[in-house]
Amino acid sequence: MWGISTHMSVRNIGKLSAMKRSSENNDANSYIETLSMTEMETSLPVRKEVDNSFTHSQFVSDKSEQQDINAPEEKTQNKGLNLRSRQEYFIPPPGDVPVRRFPQAVIIGFGKCGTRAMLTFLSLHPYIVIHHEEVHFYTEDKLYAKGYKWYLNQMPFSYSNQVTMEKSPDYVCSNRARQEIAEHFPDCKLIVLVRNPVVRIVSAFLQRFRFKEPSQRPPMNVTYMNTKTNEFNPNASAVDVGIFHKHLSPWLRTFSRDNILVVSDESLTTDPLSVLKRAEKFLNIPPMLNEDNFYYNETSGFYCCRRYSTDEQPRCMNINKGWKHPELPADDEKMLYDFYRPHNKKLFKLLNETYNWEKT
């Protein structure tokens, strides 16, 4: 059977039930331990306590489509998309009903490295059901305090042979996220995107001041310089995030390497199909995506995606994605490339893979 375990294997449930944690570590165990066996392992019969008003057609149309990634002029055109093809390609197990499940796969980072595009492309697959918004459960104290029941209720409905996925790019820099996922969902599949860290800094700057006109934006060096001393600030958050090996190493020590997929934004941008074929294999789902699901948009310089019906409107990245990047001052650019070069080498050694991140 295609698909991966929804939460944990049966052997891990016993281990989880034996765990005792202090109150300051949230009420994760107290809630998860109350979940029935059928909620924890989808190879067993599915629990029956579901909303009887919920239908398969509602699940597909409401949970499988999201318009926020389309350019505004495309939103009207995309209403009422024909999803017959998706239903034809997906076959739920006989007698199965959709329920909410904890994520079996999470895009944990890095921010401004193509995580939204990755989630969007993966949502094409009929055996993947995504949470469209970033949850930030583990990284925002007020959300974490709501507990795992709240977290579960944020997830979309899915069938037992589908993969539920969420995206919160700040998880990769969070010790709590790493420890909690490792403790409760050690078999979770983790997807990480990286990018030329100098380019990422520029993208982070544009994200931060996206609502300001270019003439009203501060100098770009506010993201990497101490504006009071006019000195480079390696501890600035925008700079620190780009030290990828620093944040990724603990995850690679905690989880099996087979449970972590690392993708470069550059490869996702230039050849999304090859990346998604890797993801299909990584997630252990049927290989269904092909070249017909993508086409290159000459205007935006990005790939657009479509599902399986020829009469569906394509889905292109929002106009807020793919902003034209301003140029860094030459001296600052050299400084940043010099700073990141040794850190990039450590990442390449860690992954046994090299990316072309030198200035071209």
Side-chain angles (χ1 to χ4, degrees), residues 8 11 97 112 224-225 279 281 286 303:
M8 302 170 62
R11 62 179 173 79
V97 292
K112 309 312 300 173
Y224 54 84
M225 300 288 283
K281 184 176 181 180
Y303 276 87

Side-chain angles (χ1 to χ4, degrees), residues 40-94:
M40 294 294 286
E41 179 59 57
T42 57
S43 63
L44 301 176
V46 185
R47 66 183 175 88
K48 301 300 182 181
E49 313 84 69
V50 297
D51 184 354
N52 291 329
S53 65
F54 185 84
T55 67
H56 181 205
S57 61
Q58 288 174 330
F59 163 68
V60 174
S61 61
D62 293 343
K63 299 298 180 181
S64 300
E65 287 297 324
Q66 179 85 350
Q67 304 301 331
D68 66 348
I69 65 160
N70 293 294
E73 62 270 19
E74 294 175 345
K75 288 187 177 181
T76 302
Q77 296 174 352
N78 279 328
K79 288 182 179 179
L81 290 179
N82 180 359
L83 299 179
R84 289 174 297 176
S85 59
R86 183 175 172 89
Q87 295 177 10
E88 290 169 359
Y89 277 91
F90 170 69
I91 303 175

Side-chain angles (χ1 to χ4, degrees), residues 56-329:
H56 181 205
S57 61
Q58 288 174 330
F59 163 68
V60 174
S61 61
D62 293 343
K63 299 298 180 181
S64 300
E65 287 297 324
Q66 179 85 350
Q67 304 301 331
D68 66 348
I69 65 160
N70 293 294
E73 62 270 19
E74 294 175 345
K75 288 187 177 181
T76 302
Q77 296 174 352
N78 279 328
K79 288 182 179 179
L81 290 179
N82 180 359
L83 299 179
R84 289 174 297 176
S85 59
R86 183 175 172 89
Q87 295 177 10
E88 290 169 359
Y89 277 91
F90 170 69
I91 303 175
D96 202 358
V97 292
V99 297
R100 298 188 190 276
R101 308 172 197 275
F102 288 112
Q104 301 106 297
V106 180
I107 299 176
I108 61 173
F110 285 88
K112 309 312 300 173
C113 291
T115 57
R116 171 57 60 182
M118 186 70 174
L119 186 73
T120 298
F121 290 156
L122 285 171
S123 73
L124 294 172
H125 202 291
Y127 283 79
I128 294 177
V129 181
I130 69 170
H131 186 288
H132 292 281
E133 301 301 323
E134 296 177 1
V135 184
H136 302 295
F137 171 64
Y138 298 110
T139 50
E140 293 192 14
D141 290 343
K142 64 181 180 181
L143 299 181
Y144 182 70
K146 295 182 178 182
Y148 275 80
K149 183 175 182 179
W150 178 88
Y151 184 44
L152 179 62
N153 285 334
Q154 306 313 300
M155 295 303 115
F157 287 83
S158 65
Y159 289 92
S160 61
N161 60 343
Q162 290 178 309
V163 175
T164 299
M165 178 179 293
E166 73 125 318
K167 173 185 84 82
S168 295
D170 52 356
Y171 286 174
V172 72
C173 298
S174 166
N175 285 327
R176 178 163 69 189
R178 176 174 54 83
Q179 293 165 359
E180 288 289 308
I181 295 173
E183 180 175 351
H184 299 299
F185 314 112
D187 297 325
C188 186
K189 297 286 188 174
L190 307 170
I191 298 177
V192 178
L193 285 102
V194 294
R195 182 184 195 178
N196 181 330
V198 179
V199 177
R200 200 211 73 84
I201 278 188
V202 179
S203 184
F205 169 81
L206 290 174
Q207 171 73 13
R208 179 179 175 185
F209 298 105
R210 63 190 180 278
F211 298 119
K212 291 184 177 293
E213 294 295 328
S215 61
Q216 298 177 334
R217 293 171 185 163
M220 203 183 314
N221 63 12
V222 298
T223 59
Y224 54 84
M225 300 288 283
N226 184 324
T227 54
K228 293 182 179 180
T229 63
N230 200 33
E231 295 178 348
F232 176 61
N233 181 12
N235 297 316
S237 60
V239 176
D240 181 74
V241 170
I243 307 176
F244 299 128
H245 71 90
K246 168 185 171 182
H247 303 291
L248 188 54
S249 292
W251 292 83
L252 291 170
R253 290 194 299 267
T254 304
F255 291 85
S256 165
R257 185 65 179 87
D258 293 338
N259 278 36
I260 300 179
L261 175 67
V262 180
V263 173
S264 75
D265 174 69
E266 292 81 6
S267 62
L268 182 65
T269 300
T270 58
D271 190 7
L273 180 58
S274 67
V275 170
L276 294 175
K277 300 308 289 183
R278 287 177 58 200
E280 286 177 329
K281 184 176 181 180
F282 173 71
L283 296 171
N284 192 28
I285 54 179
M288 302 178 70
L289 299 177
N290 57 59
E291 60 274 6
D292 292 333
N293 293 116
F294 303 93
Y295 80 91
Y296 187 72
N297 187 319
E298 296 285 352
T299 302
S300 68
F302 291 92
Y303 276 87
C304 294
C305 56
R306 59 170 69 90
R307 295 198 189 277
Y308 297 93
S309 292
T310 56
D311 57 344
E312 285 188 12
Q313 291 290 334
R315 294 152 55 89
C316 297
M317 296 308 295
N318 189 287
I319 56 174
N320 290 329
K321 300 293 183 181
W323 295 300
K324 180 177 174 55
H325 281 196
E327 291 188 6
L328 283 163

